[in-house]
Amino acid sequence: MIRSLAGAVAALALSAGVASADFPEREMLGVVMWGAGGATDVVARAVNPAAEAALGKPIVVLNKSGGAGAISTAYVNAAPADGYTFLYGAENPQLHPIMGVSKLDYSNFYPVNILGRGVAVIVVPQASKYQTLAELLDDIKANPGQVKMGSTGPGGLPSTVSALLSNSAPFDVTAIPFDGEGPGLTAMLGGEVDFMPSGLSAAAEQIKAGTMRALAVVNAEPVDTLPGVPAVTDTLPGMSSYLPWGPFYGVFVRKDTPDDVKAKLVDAFATAAGSDEFKTLMANRGNVMMNISGEEAETFLAKWQQVTAWALQDTGAAKVSPESLGIPRP
């Protein structure tokens, strides 16, 4: 009877998220919100081995795409708040309430680490007839709704870049959704869509291999990793008011995870993000290292959400007013 009662208390403690002094005592689950081969997946799998070494236990990586990241976010939010299930996430949940996708955003989670941020790029297959961004925009203007754009759903990077572009030029395209940047870029190379806005980290290897071309970086100036590729503001000066802007990648747990578990995860991922191998991968893919957590990360997340949400509102792309969600105009 006493043994049964002790077991029941232990189970209740676990379900309530009470920490173990020996965390982690078993393998963990890192849930990637996009499919294999996309930018978030590449970053997650690059930092994962160093995080495993720092924590002393294996981390199983699970790709759980769908709903522009909403499915994986809900999955982690529904898991016990014990630190054994965490999210390898990107920027998308910060836009889910604005796009009417989900009520969950990163205010429901604790940022273990914002690993780094990226630069968006507009790419086409190598054989595309579009040699410049101006040619692509001219065709879109001349043939409304006929040019097909690869997307990852509402609130994803392509849809957000699309909203920013539409504030500076006619941009009536047909968006074809895929479960992540990796699948979308693969589909583009197969001729299913004409172009795609993507994180540079997801497209970098294909650009280097010569299978696709970058028409512009969504930045106010060119980036070192893509010599010769112009900034989007060369063609659309009006875009400058929304820049710098770009995707980011991080590690998140439920907000009510015990503090000592959070601290162990923060220390482990700070060490992992500081590894030479990870920093080299991030640099090679055109990402900017951040390696921040806690209050500093929460400040970054709030500012990113403000700028992007109101950009979407001002271009008419937002489904829900940021003001009604308590997001002040920056």
Side-chain angles (χ1 to χ4, degrees):
M1 177 68 175
I2 294 176
R3 187 173 299 172
S4 297
L5 179 60
V9 171
L12 181 61
L14 181 61
S15 66
V18 176
S20 164
D22 297 322
F23 176 87
E25 298 179 296
R26 53 184 171 84
E27 71 178 20
M28 292 154 284
L29 181 66
V31 181
V32 181
M33 68 167 46
W34 292 109
T40 309
D41 180 66
V42 169
V43 171
R45 291 180 186 275
V47 80
N48 202 71
E52 288 180 315
L55 289 163
K57 295 292 180 182
I59 301 171
V60 177
V61 178
L62 172 67
N63 292 90
K64 202 169 187 64
S65 60
I71 289 177
S72 57
T73 307
Y75 181 87
V76 173
N77 188 60
D82 56 11
Y84 283 96
T85 302
F86 55 83
L87 181 70
Y88 279 128
E91 70 283 351
N92 315 88
Q94 287 300 78
L95 300 179
H96 287 169
I98 293 93
M99 300 305 294
V101 174
S102 168
K103 293 182 179 180
L104 286 175
D105 63 13
Y106 285 135
S107 65
N108 301 95
F109 295 84
Y110 178 79
V112 171
N113 197 300
I114 305 298
L115 300 164
R117 59 182 175 85
V119 176
V121 61
I122 300 169
V123 294
V124 295
Q126 180 63 39
S128 171
K129 64 181 180 180
Y130 306 120
Q131 297 298 314
T132 65
L133 177 60
E135 290 180 5
L136 172 62
L137 294 174
D138 287 345
D139 198 24
I140 291 171
K141 181 179 181 180
N143 300 283
Q146 298 301 304
V147 179
K148 292 180 288 185
M149 180 188 80
S151 180
T152 55
L157 182 148
S159 71
T160 305
V161 171
S162 174
L164 298 179
L165 289 168
S166 68
N167 195 47
S168 301
F171 203 73
D172 182 1
V173 300
T174 296
I176 309 297
F178 299 95
D179 284 336
E181 291 172 288
L185 292 171
T186 299
M188 183 189 74
L189 292 176
E192 295 182 44
V193 296
D194 299 304
F195 77 101
M196 185 171 179
S198 167
L200 175 54
S201 60
E205 292 304 316
Q206 298 276 21
I207 294 172
K208 289 179 183 177
T211 58
M212 63 178 65
R213 286 186 289 107
L215 299 183
V217 290
V218 184
N219 205 44
E221 55 190 25
V223 297
D224 292 340
T225 48
L226 289 179
V229 177
V232 69
T233 48
D234 287 3
T235 303
L236 298 173
M239 283 280 289
S240 61
S241 60
Y242 297 110
L243 302 174
W245 183 90
F248 61 83
Y249 313 101
V251 184
F252 304 87
V253 291
R254 278 181 47 173
K255 200 161 201 171
D256 51 347
T257 299
D259 288 343
D260 59 341
V261 172
K262 290 177 183 173
K264 288 185 178 182
L265 289 169
V266 166
D267 287 345
F269 276 97
T271 299
S275 69
D276 291 338
E277 294 84 356
F278 183 68
K279 289 191 290 186
T280 297
L281 176 133
M282 293 290 275
N284 287 343
R285 290 178 168 269
N287 291 325
V288 178
M289 284 295 305
M290 295 184 70
N291 196 6
I292 60 174
S293 62
E295 186 176 346
E296 185 179 5
E298 288 172 343
T299 299
F300 166 80
L301 291 169
K303 182 177 180 181
W304 191 97
Q305 186 180 54
Q306 283 181 284
V307 169
T308 313
W310 281 98
L312 292 171
Q313 175 72 5
D314 292 343
T315 57
K319 304 298 184 185
V320 180
S321 166
E323 186 175 10
S324 72
L325 296 169
I327 302 172
R329 183 181 284 275

